Amino acid sequence: MAVSDDQELGRAIGNADSPTWSVRAAAGRHLARSREIDEVADVLYRLLLDSHDTAVTWRTAEALLERGDAVGLRLVLLARSNAAAEATAEEIQAALDCNPDWMTAACADRLTKHLRNPAMDEDAGVRDEARRILGSLRPE
């Protein structure tokens, strides 16, 4: 019997509270690929700021960035701007800096386009993070 998408999503949401870091990290990767990302954004945000293991942070941020869309990028920028722990902020920044999709000129152009809306976001943290990245892509 096949497991429905709703059941898989529900299981991943439940796994986000697991005491085991690898289960939480797998949940973050699964939820980041969800078509219902708006419905799981709060859980993803919590996983990005995981206070117990930065591997959860890294894997969730990496999966959100792999989406290659503005929604995933905005969640990562929001978490980066609100990361209280230095190690968490560094993991999110590393995921942003090491995304292989941004290493070519064409992909950097796509990133620049994705950052235009966050650079005008109503959330000051998202706006500042987007502008900081844009500044590093287009130094004046």
Side-chain angles (χ1 to χ4, degrees), residues 1-105:
M1 183 170 132
V3 177
S4 75
D5 288 344
D6 288 342
Q7 288 174 316
E8 284 187 28
L9 191 61
R11 184 176 301 134
I13 290 169
N15 286 344
D17 292 322
S18 171
T20 306
W21 75 265
S22 59
V23 174
R24 291 192 314 277
R29 290 198 66 77
H30 182 88
L31 294 171
R33 292 188 305 261
S34 173
R35 284 178 268 134
E36 292 86 19
I37 194 161
D38 291 334
E39 296 171 20
V40 297
D42 290 342
V43 178
L44 284 164
Y45 180 74
R46 190 177 73 227
L47 289 168
L48 284 165
L49 298 177
D50 189 280
S51 61
H52 301 290
D53 199 303
T54 56
V56 177
T57 298
W58 169 267
R59 294 206 173 133
T60 303
E62 182 180 53
L64 284 165
L65 295 171
E66 285 171 359
R67 290 175 60 93
D69 64 10
V71 175
L73 178 60
R74 186 184 187 282
L75 270 171
V76 173
L77 294 174
L78 180 64
R80 172 66 179 87
S81 72
N82 289 302
E86 185 176 338
T88 301
E90 288 173 356
E91 286 300 312
I92 296 170
Q93 189 60 52
L96 284 161
D97 292 343
C98 296
N99 188 311
D101 289 340
W102 301 347
M103 301 300 172
T104 67

Side-chain angles (χ1 to χ4, degrees), residues 70 73-74 77 114-121 123 126-127 130:
L73 178 60
R74 186 184 187 282
L77 294 174
H114 281 313
L115 286 167
R116 284 190 185 131
N117 283 339
M120 309 282 266
D121 200 276
D123 183 282
V126 171
R127 193 171 53 243

